[in-house]
Structure formats: C-alpha cells, structure tokens
Amino acid sequence: MKSELLIIRKCGWTPWLAVLCAAFLGAGVVPSVVAQDKDKPDPGAPELKRAMSGLLSAIKDGNDTKIAELTAKVLPDATKVAKGLGPGAEVEGRQKVQAFHERMPKDGPALARLFSAKPTQTEVQVHAATTEEMAAYEAGSAAFKEFPAAVKGLAAKGVFVPGKTYYEVEFLEPGNEAGMKYHLFYWDGSGWSMLGPVWRMLQ
C-alpha cells in the first residue's frame, strides 16, 4: 500500500497516469526526455570574454599551472572538433583539423605558452559572426573587420556549421584597435573550444 501511495504522489492522482508511471518505476526506467544530456545553448560573447579575461589574468600573473588548465579547456578533442565543423569540411578536412589539435601540447610549460600577451595588452575583446555573416563578408560588418579574409571562402563552402556563431578573441592595449588575435572560438555544447587557423589546414 505504501508503494502504491508513493507512486500516486510521484505520478499524480489520474488513474491511467499512475498506472503508466508505475510501469516505468517498477521497471526502473527513466523516460528518455529526462535521461538525455542535451547541449547547452551558446551563452554568447560576454561569457567568452569573461572566460578569456581569466586566462589573460593568469598570463599576467605568470601562473603557468592556471594558464595550462584554462588553455587545455579550449583545445578540442575529436568530438568537439566535429561540433565546430560543417558538412563542407568533409572527412579529409576534419581529419586535418583533428590532427592539428592532436599535435598541440597536452601539459607543462609548452601548453602554458600557447596563448600569450604583451605586458601592455590588458584588455580582452570578443568579436562575433555567424557562418552566414562570414560567407557574406560584407564591408563594415564584424566578420569583415575582425575575422581573417580566409574565413569567407571556407564559410561559403560549408566548412563551418550553418547558423552557428564563431568568435575572434583579441588581447590588446586599451585604446588600440589591433592586438593579439586567436581564431574561431565556438560553443561546443558544454564549453568553449577553439578551431584556430583552419584555413592553413584546409587550403
């Protein structure tokens, strides 16, 4: 009787719903709607700026352990590379990008040196453009002003995911318009990843 009351409390008083729910509970089954671990939505440029500001602070502090930890988070594995590339990348292209990231340092001082900034570069800027905006590369747009020209052709070929937003991250001196840029960050569903200069691998 206690177990029946427990089922009613969990499932509501509607008889057919209680029976259906009892079947799930009795079998130890969790409905797929609950069990699925869906990708989280892209939190946008402010959140990426916050994350990269933390990395820049670690660089300024000379904290190699923290730099390496934060750097490792944005270097994608094969699964995350796949989430950053569109159908136009094709198998060979995906393999080249994956191989590029596999050659990246995995720990130690070498990993901590992948990102750098001059002592005077204390500001972080983040520039956003969708795949379609990169393909259009319209004069005056963020894609035109902040992204390398090589992304235009790649976006037009479908190398990037349709409708997805990509970001350029820049470390620069306050008041300056140009600094140290890092290319093609994107939200991989659970965190930030960076494709890097993929045009060098795909041309």
Side-chain angles (χ1 to χ4, degrees):
M1 181 64 180
K2 289 183 179 180
S3 61
E4 291 175 357
L5 290 174
L6 178 62
I7 290 171
I8 290 174
R9 291 193 188 100
K10 287 185 177 181
C11 303
W13 290 92
T14 307
W16 69 267
L17 183 58
V19 171
L20 180 61
C21 188
F24 275 116
L25 293 174
V29 177
V30 178
S32 59
V33 173
V34 177
Q36 289 177 349
D37 183 16
K38 293 184 178 180
D39 287 351
K40 298 177 182 178
D42 182 342
E47 180 61 24
L48 177 56
K49 182 176 181 178
R50 186 196 65 78
M52 296 307 292
S53 294
L55 175 58
L56 182 58
S57 294
I59 293 172
K60 297 303 180 186
D61 293 341
N63 187 339
D64 283 3
T65 300
K66 189 64 175 179
I67 298 168
E69 176 189 336
L70 296 175
T71 299
K73 289 182 178 181
V74 301
L75 299 181
D77 58 17
T79 300
K80 292 179 179 180
V81 165
K83 291 186 176 183
L85 295 175
E90 301 180 344
V91 174
E92 183 179 0
R94 292 171 187 273
Q95 290 174 342
K96 288 180 178 179
V97 176
Q98 182 180 335
F100 169 78
H101 284 285
E102 287 175 350
R103 291 193 296 270
M104 292 294 101
K106 298 299 183 287
D107 52 36
L111 178 60
R113 298 295 176 269
L114 286 181
F115 288 93
S116 63
K118 296 177 181 179
T120 53
Q121 292 174 332
T122 58
E123 183 177 325
V124 178
Q125 288 188 5
V126 174
H127 313 286
T130 64
T131 295
E132 292 73 20
E133 288 167 343
M134 287 191 285
Y137 213 69
E138 294 180 357
S141 67
F144 180 85
K145 292 189 294 184
E146 305 295 347
F147 285 67
V151 303
K152 174 178 169 62
L154 295 179
K157 292 177 182 177
V159 168
F160 305 121
V161 179
K164 193 172 187 66
T165 300
Y166 294 82
Y167 304 87
E168 293 284 289
V169 171
E170 191 170 16
F171 298 156
L172 70 174
E173 296 179 27
N176 281 14
E177 295 184 358
M180 183 72 71
K181 268 189 181 175
Y182 296 95
H183 306 295
L184 297 173
F185 284 76
Y186 61 98
W187 182 253
D188 62 34
S190 60
W192 296 108
S193 288
M194 180 185 71
L195 282 177
V198 291
W199 52 88
R200 297 177 186 173
M201 305 155 236
L202 301 178
Q203 289 179 342

